[in-house]
Amino acid sequence: YKLIHNDSLSTDKRDVYLVEMRSLDNVLIRGWYARPKASGKFPAILHVQGYSSSQQMSWGYTGDDMAVFVLNIRGHGNRRDEINPGFPGYLQDHLKDKERYIYRGAYMDCIRAVDFLCSRDEVDSRYVVVMGGSQGGALSIATAALDNQRIKLCIPAVPFLSDFPDYFKIAGWPANEFTDYEAKNTDFGWKGIFETLSYFDIKNLAPWIKCPVYMSVGLKDVTCPPHINFAAYNQIKSRKSYVVY
């Protein structure tokens, strides 16, 4: 891990760093890390991002009583120099091969971020939290499912990437991107699309979660509607609760 101290973002109570590290397939990923200047061990929170967004340190928890990591997964924010499918384009990147599909790497980027947090002397690894909204909600659930020993609390807001076959029936975007893709790849077709997506559908990953989950839902959300939020939530077997806005 390479940490570059940022003087302008640091304060008298916490130090802020740009972090660089290698993830799946040796892809370089980056994030912003803040640690309290006080001595001791602290809970840690991993912020994962919404689709096409560029994570900034200011988007993370601003208190000085936790270690905070604000991650940019591959193809997002300051992580577009090696992989940059663009938007639109990201959701369809290597869709024909589940081993190379973009979200395999994206999910592993989140696991790599947990590796980083747990490597830090100041982090109390008994208390590692993951949270995010929309795509970040999906990444939160995926991280809690795939790393269910180290993640101790999952806070997804309006989680995306869920229940794809039904989702495409009720949401205009990004279903239209997949419709266009299918029309240009009729040999692969909807059967192939749904087969690849099934490996990354958070509804299918959710049963692996062991930590408590606190989900928030937007009742009028047309991009990540409650239907798909609860499709994943209903598969969670650990302690869970939700709030509807």
Side-chain angles (χ1 to χ4, degrees):
Y1 310 109
K2 181 179 180 180
L3 282 78
I4 304 168
H5 191 267
N6 189 296
D7 294 332
S8 63
L9 295 178
S10 298
T11 69
D12 59 343
K13 293 187 176 180
R14 67 179 193 169
D15 285 312
V16 175
Y17 302 86
L18 173 67
V19 178
E20 296 183 342
M21 55 190 176
R22 295 285 169 177
S23 183
L24 184 70
D25 296 326
N26 205 37
V27 170
L28 180 69
I29 59 173
R30 297 187 177 98
W32 298 99
Y33 178 63
R35 57 152 296 171
K37 285 187 174 179
S39 60
K41 286 189 173 290
F42 302 89
I45 184 166
L46 169 62
H47 292 273
V48 286
Q49 72 204 120
Y51 185 68
S52 78
S53 65
S54 178
Q55 292 267 64
Q56 308 297 321
M57 187 71 245
S58 59
W59 294 13
Y61 177 69
T62 57
D64 57 11
D65 56 346
M66 294 182 72
V68 183
F69 192 30
V70 181
L71 176 67
N72 277 299
I73 59 172
R74 60 189 64 198
H76 284 67
N78 58 5
R79 267 311 304 117
R80 300 187 188 189
D81 38 352
E82 289 182 356
I83 294 179
N84 187 22
F87 309 98
Y90 195 90
L91 288 160
Q92 295 79 36
D93 189 64
H94 291 104
L95 186 57
K96 292 184 178 182
D97 183 355
K98 66 180 184 295
E99 300 293 340
R100 300 178 64 202
Y101 184 50
I102 190 73
Y103 277 104
R104 181 172 188 237
Y107 287 177
M108 291 302 99
D109 293 347
C110 298
I111 303 302
R112 193 74 177 118
V114 181
D115 289 344
F116 167 73
L117 286 172
C118 291
S119 77
R120 303 296 302 170
D121 289 339
E122 66 272 10
V123 168
D124 188 336
S125 59
R126 298 174 301 169
Y127 305 105
V128 179
V129 182
V130 62
M131 70 176 296
S134 191
Q135 176 187 259
L139 295 175
S140 297
I141 289 176
T143 304
L146 296 169
D147 205 338
N148 58 23
Q149 297 299 313
R150 297 187 295 181
I151 296 296
K152 300 303 169 62
L153 176 63
C154 176
I155 311 175
V158 295
F160 184 34
L161 306 179
S162 177
D163 205 9
F164 288 106
D166 280 357
Y167 177 65
F168 289 159
K169 297 176 184 177
I170 61 176
W173 177 88
N176 61 307
E177 293 183 18
F178 285 89
T179 300
D180 293 343
Y181 180 91
E182 192 276 339
K184 297 174 183 177
N185 297 270
T186 53
D187 57 326
F188 190 59
W190 286 110
K191 181 180 179 181
I193 290 172
F194 287 135
E195 181 175 349
T196 296
L197 293 179
S198 70
Y199 288 91
F200 306 93
D201 191 327
I202 61 168
K203 181 180 73 171
N204 297 335
L205 301 178
W208 298 346
I209 294 175
K210 295 181 179 180
C211 68
V213 176
Y214 182 56
M215 180 179 75
S216 57
V217 173
L219 200 59
K220 290 188 175 184
D221 193 325
V222 297
T223 302
C224 302
H227 177 110
I228 68 162
N229 305 156
F230 282 103
Y233 180 88
N234 290 340
Q235 304 306 313
I236 296 170
K237 300 174 183 178
S238 59
R239 183 159 58 94
K240 59 186 178 180
S241 59
Y242 65 86
V243 58
V244 176
Y245 293 100

